[in-house]
Amino acid sequence: MKRQKEALNETLKQEFKKDLELFAYFLVLLNSSSPIRNVELMWAEDLELFDPTSRPRVNTGDALVQIQPLGADGTGRSSPSPSTYFCDLVHGFGAHEEQTCARSDKPAKERCRASGKSQVYPCHVGLTDIAVPVICEGRYLGTLFSGQVLTEPPTPEKFALVRAALEGQPHIDMARLEEAYYRVPIVTTAQLAEMVRMLEVFARYLSNAWKRLEIMSEFQQMREREMALDRRELAEKLLSGHVGFGTAAHSDSLRMLARNVGLERLPDRVLVLRLQPPIEENADSAAASRDFGLPLAEELGSQLTLARVAHLIEDRCRSWPNTLAAIVTPGEVCIFTAQKTRTPGSERLLIEEMAQALLRIARAQGLNMARIGISSLHPQPAELLRAYHEAISALDSGRSALDWFEDLPRRERQPAEALARVLRALQAAESSAIHASLGEFLAAAMPVSNSVAQLEQSRGLLTWACEHLARETGALGAGVEAVDRARERAIEIIVRSPGSFVMAEAFRTFVDELRQRVVQLFGQREQKIVRETQRLVREIGPERVTIQNLAKDLELSPGHLGRVFSRTMGHTLEEFLIRQKLEMARRLLLDPRLHVSEVSDRCGFCNPAYFASVFKKHMHCTPREYASRPQHFGASESALPVLETQPASYGNS
């Protein structure tokens, strides 16, 4: 039942509430013409039709207030309150309903739900009540309650039974209750049966209204699925490049597909939204996370967040005219749009407003690193594939949250020169430069359309680029066999691909694999530098070694050596040398024949005062205090942080 009751979406729920307006008018008419005037509709608790914080009911009193409100002079209604004053006193005008009337109403509702039949029953104080179930194809929706009448005239003896039934209810004024008891409406058996029949008729109306909306909901869901498939088909066609208007039939088919998804005209611009989870704010840290193994729950959480935000983006784009969004890859949404404005400047402002709105959606979900690239204008649908690559290039070459594609001078768009920049960035292991130069290369290498000649030209360029990058990266020592396997996979996809979009994605994947290999290679080289530095310190001795001498022996500059050591070990080379000297000083201070100044000199400190200052900073005692009571300050060794002597691992190889 849970699945069924959630079938109605919010729009259809609102439509069903409109049907209840007729029910409200029915209650008002009933109040004016029937001796049984009070009717209440109690919804099933698990229906979730209305706000759960509000009372799930509709009654005659509410209808009178809404449809026949009192005027300023207190008039305006055709009849007094439908609820008997007697019952109001019994349940304290609703404040004590659970302790009183609910004692008989709840069992009646359960009997209605279980049997599916109307119930005429005496309440706990002897009045006659009616309960009629509202059921739609075996599904219980609610119960119509009415009654609060007598079928026989009241007598003192009967009120004595009422008094006994209500004993222990201090909120009831028995004198007022007795007076109200003699004013309870008295109806005949025929009138009671007629009321049951009327309520059953209206229960069928509510059931039919619910069923009608369920059918509408199913149709709407089917239509939504068809629309989603049409949107995906249109996006795939626009990104395939096979949208040239070669025939009138092809043109009409494409325009009809666009109309089916709500586009008045075909798009002429592409935006690419890149959703970047917090764990991947930096490409190098992302690679490290993959190497170490991201916890499964965290990885799944990131993927679910990306999927949720992508669907929110799709929903937002459907609210704009001539705009279509499609999820290209996990974390990447392609937005096609065509905005009519009077001037190019106005169109640019409108596009930027749309882009900022999408970024706000992403940031509200915690994706603060989301970015958007925007292509230039392409009036012909066949050029939208090129527009997509322009948007990607804008993302890769830009640094802000919103980047427009700026057409490069012709000389900078030559594929060979762009590929040379990709290689230089790979050799330097600079991730941001790799992404930027890769976007420039693809913008230059990709075809404007998917004609056979242009596809073959791009296929040849990408194949040559794979061979060139694999050869040069292998020369760096980045695992020739692994690089060759990646090259073969990429070339196989490029050769067999029917369109340039898949070709470009295969090349991007290949370059990213090379980037990870080079980053890992650089990490291994830096580990070797650190290990060699530590070996030289042990051989030369911490008291004699200097950073300049270490750098000279390693054939590096002092600055580069310091940066490598800090990046690999997490602390500076200066800190490492000082702690090595302090370890040596602690051993020498245990020799009673050595003075503090001699220890300072032997450990390579410039003067005893500086030695004492550094020693106290790290050991929390002076050298003399340590020398006189080494056992007492032995526990202070924990104050001297243990620095790693082995570099951190950056990979499994």
Side-chain angles (χ1 to χ4, degrees):
M1 180 171 292
K2 184 76 174 174
R3 181 186 61 81
Q4 291 175 325
K5 71 182 172 70
E6 291 180 346
L8 294 181
N9 61 24
E10 288 302 320
T11 302
L12 294 179
K13 287 179 183 179
Q14 294 303 319
E15 290 298 318
F16 185 70
K17 291 177 184 180
K18 292 179 182 178
D19 281 342
L20 296 181
E21 293 180 7
L22 177 60
F23 180 57
Y25 280 99
F26 164 75
L27 296 180
V28 171
L29 292 174
L30 188 68
N31 183 61
S32 303
S33 59
S34 174
I36 305 177
R37 294 192 293 215
N38 186 38
V39 178
E40 183 173 60
L41 172 59
M42 289 286 292
W43 296 109
E45 291 82 356
D46 57 352
L47 197 61
E48 293 184 7
L49 179 63
F50 300 103
D51 182 359
T53 60
S54 62
R55 296 197 312 166
R57 63 178 65 189
V58 181
N59 59 43
T60 307
D62 296 335
L64 286 172
V65 171
Q66 294 169 7
I67 298 175
Q68 293 183 318
L70 286 169
D73 58 354
T75 63
R77 293 186 191 155
S78 60
S79 62
S81 171
S83 180
T84 61
Y85 185 50
F86 174 83
C87 292
D88 287 341
L89 292 174
V90 169
H91 57 61
F93 296 88
H96 301 275
E97 192 168 359
E98 289 295 321
Q99 301 95 316
T100 54
C101 298
R103 289 161 52 186
S104 54
D105 289 346
K106 283 188 175 180
K109 182 178 69 173
E110 293 304 320
R111 290 195 300 272
C112 283
R113 184 168 192 165
S115 67
K117 297 181 180 180
S118 302
Q119 304 288 321
V120 178
Y121 60 98
C123 74
H124 70 296
V125 293
L127 272 62
T128 299
D129 286 340
I130 303 170
V132 176
V134 181
I135 297 176
C136 179
E137 295 185 347
R139 187 186 325 161
Y140 172 73
L141 303 180
T143 304
L144 288 165
F145 285 99
S146 186
Q148 301 182 0
V149 295
L150 292 172
T151 56
E152 296 179 356
T155 63
E157 292 78 14
K158 291 178 181 177
F159 183 73
L161 296 176
V162 171
R163 183 190 295 272
L166 296 175
E167 187 177 0
Q169 301 291 341
H171 67 278
I172 300 176
D173 185 335
M174 287 298 174
R176 295 172 62 191
L177 185 67
E178 185 175 8
E179 180 184 354
Y181 180 68
Y182 287 97
R183 289 190 282 139
V184 172
I186 303 172
V187 300
T188 64
T189 304
Q191 289 173 324
L192 197 63
E194 180 66 15
M195 187 64 179
V196 171
R197 189 186 69 81
M198 291 174 59
L199 292 180
E200 288 177 344
V201 169
F202 210 84
R204 286 197 296 272
Y205 165 78
L206 292 174
S207 173
N208 292 336
W210 183 273
K211 182 59 181 177
R212 183 178 70 254
L213 290 175
E214 277 192 332
I215 294 173
M216 290 175 59
S217 176
E218 292 174 1
F219 174 78
Q220 188 179 55
Q221 290 176 3
M222 182 177 65
R223 177 60 182 155
E224 283 294 328
R225 287 193 292 269
E226 291 176 352
M227 288 276 287
L229 291 174
D230 286 346
R231 285 192 294 268
R232 186 175 185 86
E233 182 182 355
L234 179 60
E236 289 178 353
K237 284 188 174 182
L238 294 176
L239 287 179
S240 70
H242 297 294
V243 292
F245 294 130
T247 64
H250 184 83
S251 173
D252 293 341
S253 173
L254 190 66
R255 287 196 172 93
M256 182 179 296
L257 186 60
R259 285 195 296 271
N260 286 345
V261 299
L263 302 184
E264 295 179 1
R265 57 196 182 101
L266 290 170
D268 55 21
R269 194 185 292 276
V270 171
L271 292 74
V272 174
L273 171 61
R274 185 170 290 165
L275 303 169
Q276 207 166 4
I279 59 170
E280 295 185 3
E281 292 179 3
N282 179 275
D284 293 336
S285 64
S289 298
R290 286 190 293 270
D291 289 338
F292 284 120
L294 192 66
L296 180 60
E298 187 176 347
E299 184 177 353
L300 289 175
S302 297
Q303 295 302 319
L304 290 174
T305 299
L306 293 179
R308 181 177 65 252
V309 175
H311 288 302
L312 291 174
I313 296 298
E314 287 185 309
D315 292 340
R316 185 68 178 93
C317 288
R318 284 202 293 271
S319 67
W320 290 324
N322 295 314
T323 303
L324 168 71
I327 301 173
V328 179
T329 59
E332 187 175 294
V333 183
C334 183
I335 299 107
F336 303 90
T337 188
Q339 299 300 320
K340 268 187 177 180
T341 55
R342 295 184 178 180
T343 64
S346 300
E347 194 253 1
R348 185 181 179 99
L349 289 175
L350 182 58
I351 294 294
E352 287 189 351
E353 288 176 2
M354 294 169 59
Q356 292 294 348
L358 299 180
L359 289 175
R360 284 194 294 272
I361 293 174
R363 290 164 184 164
Q365 300 296 319
L367 302 181
N368 296 321
M369 301 301 293
R371 297 176 58 236
I372 289 182
I374 307 174
S375 75
S376 57
L377 201 64
H378 291 270
Q380 297 301 322
E383 299 176 359
L384 290 176
L385 177 61
R386 183 61 172 268
Y388 169 79
H389 291 302
E390 288 180 356
I392 292 292
S393 177
L395 273 175
D396 291 337
S397 59
R399 294 293 180 270
S400 60
L402 185 62
D403 291 297
W404 288 80
F405 174 77
E406 300 295 342
D407 200 12
L408 299 171
R410 186 65 187 172
R411 61 181 179 81
E412 294 184 13
R413 294 176 58 191
Q414 295 299 323
E417 296 181 8
L419 186 65
R421 287 191 286 273
V422 174
L423 180 58
R424 286 196 294 272
L426 275 172
Q427 290 171 337
E430 297 176 355
S431 296
S432 58
I434 292 171
H435 289 300
S437 55
L438 176 59
E440 293 178 9
F441 171 74
L442 288 175
M446 287 296 100
V448 175
S449 67
N450 272 9
S451 66
V452 175
Q454 292 194 16
L455 276 175
E456 286 302 319
Q457 182 181 5
S458 295
R459 191 173 283 115
L461 279 172
L462 293 179
T463 303
W464 163 74
C466 289
E467 297 282 1
H468 183 64
L469 292 179
R471 183 171 58 254
E472 296 297 327
T473 308
L476 295 175
V480 176
E481 292 183 3
V483 170
D484 284 343
R485 286 195 300 270
R487 172 184 56 79
E488 290 173 2
R489 285 196 303 270
I491 291 178
E492 182 179 3
I493 296 173
I494 291 169
V495 170
R496 295 184 177 183
S497 171
S500 59
F501 179 77
V502 178
M503 292 161 50
E505 289 304 308
F507 187 75
R508 286 181 185 278
T509 302
F510 173 64
V511 172
D512 190 60
E513 289 187 42
L514 295 183
R515 180 192 63 80
Q516 295 181 38
R517 292 285 173 184
V518 172
V519 168
Q520 187 180 62
L521 175 64
F522 270 63
Q524 293 171 349
R525 287 181 176 176
E526 292 186 349
Q527 292 177 45
K528 292 177 182 177
I529 291 174
V530 169
R531 284 195 291 268
E532 188 65 16
T533 301
Q534 294 171 337
R535 184 188 65 78
L536 289 173
V537 171
R538 288 193 296 270
E539 288 184 359
I540 299 173
E543 73 280 10
R544 294 191 301 273
V545 76
T546 65
I547 294 178
Q548 288 73 19
N549 291 339
L550 289 172
K552 183 178 180 180
D553 290 343
L554 294 171
E555 298 182 354
L556 300 171
S557 69
H560 181 64
L561 174 60
R563 287 190 296 272
V564 168
F565 197 95
S566 298
R567 188 162 54 240
T568 306
M569 299 299 295
H571 53 81
T572 66
L573 181 55
E574 291 88 342
E575 291 174 341
F576 175 74
L577 294 177
I578 287 175
R579 281 162 174 76
Q580 295 301 310
K581 291 179 180 181
L582 289 177
E583 287 293 335
M584 181 179 179
R586 288 173 55 211
R587 293 192 297 270
L588 293 176
L589 286 171
L590 298 178
D591 188 342
R593 296 171 297 176
L594 296 178
H595 192 266
V596 171
S597 59
E598 292 181 82
V599 172
S600 170
D601 185 60
R602 288 192 182 189
C603 292
F605 288 94
C606 57
N607 58 66
Y610 176 67
F611 167 60
S613 174
V614 173
F615 193 93
K616 186 172 184 180
K617 176 182 178 182
H618 292 280
M619 297 300 299
H620 306 292
C621 64
T622 66
R624 291 184 185 278
E625 291 172 338
Y626 184 86
S628 60
R629 293 188 295 168
Q631 297 84 358
H632 176 75
F633 293 105
S636 298
E637 293 179 9
S638 59
L640 186 62
V642 178
L643 300 184
E644 295 183 25
T645 58
Q646 294 297 325
S649 175
Y650 284 86
N652 299 324
S653 59

